[in-house]
Amino acid sequence: MQKPTNTVQLHLETTPSLGIAPGALVNRDSAKRNIWCPKPEIEFDSWCNPNNPKLITYKEISKAMNVLREHFPVTPLLRSRCCVQFGLEVNYKLEIFHRTGSFNERGALYTLLMLKENQRKFGVITASTGSWAMALAYYGHKLDIPVTTVLPLYTLINVVEMCKGYGATVILNGKSLAEAKNQAFIVRAESGATYLNSYDHPYAIAAAGSIGVEIMEQLPQTDAILIPVGGGGLLAGISTAVKHIKPEVLIYVLVNDDWISRAVLHLTEEERFVADGAGATSLSALFGLPNILPELRGKTVVCVISGGNIDTDTLPRCIERAKAVEGRIIKMTVTLPADETTEQLKIFSTIANLGCNVRQYYTEHAWLTENDFYTIYLTLTCETRDIKHACTLKRVMERLFPNMCHFLEEPFSPIPICSCFAKKLP
């Protein structure tokens, strides 16, 4: 864990802190000894000792920047196609075009390059759920440094296979990242490998800071930057760099999960590129406009899109979820007499006349009880333009078919807004 430099002044509200991010808690706690481990003690990561924090300054970031420029081209910073929609100048700092698909390549490469010769000989080990493991495996292979990645049992198959494809030794262990990390320290104690932390390691943080330097070089007029936060290393690095160069730039974090789904959908539909949930988090805060962040109206904002490693099974579910939240997909069940086919035709005609599409439907007979023997349930999934159109459909159906329609209420419920955001004044 690092203490912020004097130049780092994050934009914070007066509301109480929500505590340390779960990813940070996992990686900052010392690994506890497994009672079955033959070793008497398992040392925690000395680079991430909360009792001896490392100070990250702009000097360390500049050093990392100079090294990385020999290996990485400057990543794109693109203006959004939807600035008018948002009411501000939105720009995307795209970290999705790296070989393994995320900003973690910066930290992985720089950390490996800074290893001493004897550390390279014994190799490195880490616990991760995805992007950091893949980045470390990829550059370990390129630099001929042995890499071991300990992944939780639930890790996506494609992540496991990519790590193996890059030549890493893969260990699947634990039901959580914390358990995987504990196993990594057990293996490290036996192998002599160096444990590398993606969140708190000073080299990883310094490398992440290079993104902030690039942003200020590419867009000096930047007023605010929105940054995804997991363990906090990306936030710490970019904030340290940007606050040194231009202290008045505002830095933000913390959003609702549904907004993240909406951000993934927006990037796919409107901006024409795909990001994973973590990578799209920075954009998601803007979906609360104008109720939150009123101070950003008309400002120049940069959203750091930190990664594009979304699973092909997760992407369609995420898009479906986002459309439901936005009122673009409505699910309803209509209770009908089993022999009333004319009522079913009337339902479909009503939906069509309102300009809605029926994406899916099916009928189900009630359980064969005395009261429900002649009842069927018609379940429909309909596509609408927006929440206003969805409300029109709901209102008309309830008027034409009173006491017969049951709607999934979620699309019609307000999206909660985190109390840490500045609210729009009445």
Side-chain angles (χ1 to χ4, degrees), residues 103-117:
F103 80 97
N104 278 303
E105 286 198 15
R106 295 175 184 258
L109 175 59
Y110 184 59
T111 304
L112 290 173
L113 289 172
M114 298 301 289
L115 291 176
K116 297 178 181 178
E117 190 60 38

Side-chain angles (χ1 to χ4, degrees), residues 255-266 268-269 277 287 310 313-331 359 381-384 387 408-416:
V255 294
N256 180 273
D257 284 347
D258 285 339
W259 295 359
I260 297 175
S261 296
R262 296 177 67 194
V264 171
L265 173 62
H266 175 86
T268 304
E269 278 190 331
F287 287 96
I310 191 166
D313 291 329
T314 303
L315 179 59
R317 296 203 304 270
C318 185
I319 289 175
E320 199 87 348
R321 170 68 176 173
K323 287 184 175 181
V325 170
E326 293 183 352
R328 295 167 57 186
I329 292 180
I330 305 301
K331 189 172 183 178
R359 295 184 53 178
T381 301
C382 302
E383 187 173 33
T384 54
I387 188 64
L408 184 66
E409 287 297 323
E410 194 163 22
F412 306 102
S413 302
I415 299 175

Side-chain angles (χ1 to χ4, degrees), residues 290-410:
N291 294 321
I292 65 166
L293 306 180
E295 69 275 20
L296 294 186
R297 278 292 181 184
K299 302 294 186 181
T300 299
V301 176
V302 174
C303 298
V304 178
I305 308 299
S306 59
N309 289 320
I310 191 166
D311 180 62
T312 52
D313 291 329
T314 303
L315 179 59
R317 296 203 304 270
C318 185
I319 289 175
E320 199 87 348
R321 170 68 176 173
K323 287 184 175 181
V325 170
E326 293 183 352
R328 295 167 57 186
I329 292 180
I330 305 301
K331 189 172 183 178
M332 68 177 117
T333 300
V334 186
T335 304
L336 296 168
D339 57 350
E340 282 289 348
T341 56
T342 56
E343 286 291 283
Q344 295 187 41
L345 292 175
K346 184 178 177 181
I347 289 171
F348 286 110
S349 296
T350 301
I351 293 172
N353 290 336
L354 289 172
C356 307
N357 293 328
V358 177
R359 295 184 53 178
Q360 183 181 24
Y361 75 93
Y362 61 90
T363 58
E364 181 181 14
H365 285 271
W367 287 101
L368 300 182
T369 61
E370 182 178 353
N371 294 330
D372 292 338
F373 191 84
Y374 296 106
T375 300
I376 63 169
Y377 301 105
L378 174 63
T379 300
L380 304 104
T381 301
C382 302
E383 187 173 33
T384 54
R385 291 188 297 272
D386 49 33
I387 188 64
K388 183 178 179 180
H389 193 200
C391 289
T392 299
L393 172 64
K394 184 174 187 286
R395 184 172 61 253
V396 172
M397 289 293 295
E398 288 178 336
R399 185 172 69 245
L400 295 179
F401 307 96
N403 303 318
M404 298 168 63
C405 301
H406 172 73
F407 284 81
L408 184 66
E409 287 297 323
E410 194 163 22

Side-chain angles (χ1 to χ4, degrees), residues 151-228:
L151 308 175
L153 294 171
Y154 62 78
T155 304
L156 296 172
I157 293 176
N158 68 308
V159 172
V160 175
E161 293 305 311
M162 286 187 71
C163 289
K164 290 180 179 179
Y166 294 141
T169 299
V170 176
I171 299 173
L172 293 174
N173 187 279
K175 298 179 181 179
S176 66
L177 182 58
E179 292 184 6
K181 185 186 177 186
N182 187 64
Q183 181 63 27
F185 276 101
I186 294 174
V187 175
R188 184 192 75 160
E190 298 172 349
S191 66
T194 300
Y195 185 85
L196 296 183
N197 186 324
S198 67
Y199 299 99
D200 278 345
H201 199 291
Y203 294 151
I205 294 173
S210 65
I211 299 173
V213 178
E214 289 183 9
I215 290 173
M216 299 314 298
E217 290 177 347
Q218 293 168 302
L219 199 65
Q221 67 270 32
T222 296
D223 297 308
I225 303 176
L226 283 71
I227 307 169

